[in-house]
Structures are given as C-alpha cells and as structure tokens.
C-alpha cells in the first residue's frame, strides 16, 4: 500500500524496493491507496528482488534499511540468511540500522533473526515487541529486529518500549544452504 511513504521527512531520500510490479501499480493508484500519491508522488521505486537490486547499490550508502517481507504465510527465506544480512549490513553506513519487520502468524522469526545477526561478528541486535492488548484468535504482536554494526547505533532503540536483547534461543542461523522452517513453526506454536 505504500503506507511507509508518509513517514518520510522533507530532508529524507527514500527508495522502495518491490519485487512485484503489480503491487507497485496498485500502491501507486490513488483510487486504491493514497499514501504514495499524497506523501511521495515521485517515489523512487526499484522493481525487482530486493536482495539482487540492493546488491547493485554502493557499499555504505544507506542510513537505514527496512526489510518488510515476512508477514505473509510464505516468507522469502533468502532475505533472512547470513549472506543476505551481510549484504544489507554492507550497504549501511557505519552507524546505520537494518530493521527486519518479522511479525508473522505462523513462524517464530525473532530467534532466527537473532541467530543470523549473532553469526556475523561485530553485529548487534535488539528486538522490539509491541504487544497487542486484544489477544484474540488472529492477533499478532508486532516485532521488529534492529541490527547494527555498532552498539552506539542501537543505543536509542534500547530505550524504546518493548525493547529486549536479541535472543537466538539455541536456534541455528539460516544460510543460503540451510534453513529450518519447521523449527520456526514449532517454536511459534509451542
């Protein structure tokens, strides 16, 4: 829908990466959604797989990267591997932050994200959980894992409500050659 476009400040420069051109067309249609047309009518949108398109960017370019691709039933595992996080972290400035929106109804992704972050030397991570008051059948707590190359970059995040240290909880980190979706499902329902 492009809702994040309305979080931009005038001094910001935002770029959106979206794999599906149909999603871009729908989000850009003001008859359906107005976030882009009102907040960033000339949005910089790159169509293609985020891992492949971000790889083309110069190292150290970004202050902040948000990966928001994990809330559906079928997650893009290739964006949650050690190799992917190394790539994304390489594109950040030294004090930049990577934010993984890992809220999911069926998968426990916080331990996976923590395990991947901890597998990369010099990386630090903090989990933010926004607990819903109404815990009905389909309620999902919102979770974001913030990952940085320095503790100082995560300093402000540590003071936010719902902040906790990243905990891999004994989960093996995912790589391009290994992932364990069944354990992520089991941990969610345990």
């Amino acid at each position: 829908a492009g809702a994040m476009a309305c979080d931009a400040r005038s001094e910001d420069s935002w770029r959106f990466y979206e794999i599906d051109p149909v999603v871009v067309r729908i989000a850009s249609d003001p008859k359906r959604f107005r976030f882009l047309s009102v907040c960033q009518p000339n949005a910089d949108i790159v169509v293609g797989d985020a891992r492949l398109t971000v790889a083309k960017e110069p190292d150290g370019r970004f202050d902040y990267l948000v990966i928001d691709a994990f809330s559906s039933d079928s997650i893009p595992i290739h964006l949650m591997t050690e190799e992917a996080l190394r790539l994304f972290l390489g594109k950040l400035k030294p004090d930049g932050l990577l934010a993984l929106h890992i809220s999911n109804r069926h998968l426990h992704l916080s331990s996976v994200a923590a395990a991947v972050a901890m597998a990369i030397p010099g990386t630090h991570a903090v989990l933010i959980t926004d607990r819903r008051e109404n815990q009905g059948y389909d309620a999902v707590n919102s979770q974001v894992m913030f990952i940085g190359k320095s503790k100082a970059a995560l300093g402000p995040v540590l003071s936010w409500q719902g902040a906790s240290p990243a905990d891999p909880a004994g989960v093996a980190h995912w790589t391009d050659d290994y992932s364990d979706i069944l354990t992520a499902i089991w941990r969610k329902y345990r």
Side-chain angles (χ1 to χ4, degrees), residues 121-138:
T123 302
H124 308 275
V126 173
L127 176 66
I128 302 292
T129 302
D130 183 12
R131 302 203 182 279
R132 291 185 162 237
E133 289 183 28
N134 175 9
Q135 288 293 327
Y137 167 73
D138 61 350

Side-chain angles (χ1 to χ4, degrees), residues 108 110-116 167-174 178 180 183-184 187:
H108 188 273
S110 61
S111 55
V112 173
V116 174
D167 181 9
V171 171
H173 74 280
W174 292 1
Y178 170 84
D180 182 4
T183 296
R187 290 178 67 80

Side-chain angles (χ1 to χ4, degrees), residues 16 28 38 69 71 77 95 100 119 132 169 171:
F16 297 89
S28 300
V38 169
S71 56
I77 290 172
D95 60 346
L100 301 175
R132 291 185 162 237
V171 171

Side-chain angles (χ1 to χ4, degrees), residues 8-132:
R9 298 173 300 197
S10 60
E11 66 271 16
D12 292 344
S13 174
W14 284 47
R15 174 171 291 152
F16 297 89
Y17 296 89
E18 173 56 52
I19 195 168
D20 190 344
V22 174
V23 170
V24 173
R25 192 182 77 229
I26 291 170
S28 300
D29 181 351
K31 293 177 187 164
R32 295 174 187 219
F33 297 102
R34 296 181 45 215
F35 301 113
L36 285 174
S37 63
V38 169
C39 298
Q40 289 195 35
N42 299 312
D44 182 3
I45 301 172
V46 176
V47 177
D49 182 280
R51 185 163 164 186
L52 299 175
T53 53
V54 169
K56 297 175 184 175
E57 298 291 345
D59 287 348
R61 175 180 186 144
F62 298 106
D63 293 308
Y64 197 60
L65 279 173
V66 177
I67 311 296
D68 186 9
F70 304 111
S71 56
S72 73
D73 292 346
S74 110
I75 65 162
I77 290 172
H78 74 292
L79 297 179
M80 181 73 83
T81 65
E82 178 184 345
E83 294 85 353
L85 263 61
R86 283 183 185 276
L87 168 79
F88 297 141
L89 289 167
K91 301 306 174 182
L92 290 173
K93 293 178 179 173
D95 60 346
L97 285 178
L98 172 63
L100 301 175
H101 178 216
I102 54 174
S103 306
N104 191 284
R105 279 190 212 300
H106 307 293
L107 301 169
H108 188 273
L109 295 176
S110 61
S111 55
V112 173
V116 174
M118 299 304 150
I120 303 170
T123 302
H124 308 275
V126 173
L127 176 66
I128 302 292
T129 302
D130 183 12
R131 302 203 182 279
R132 291 185 162 237

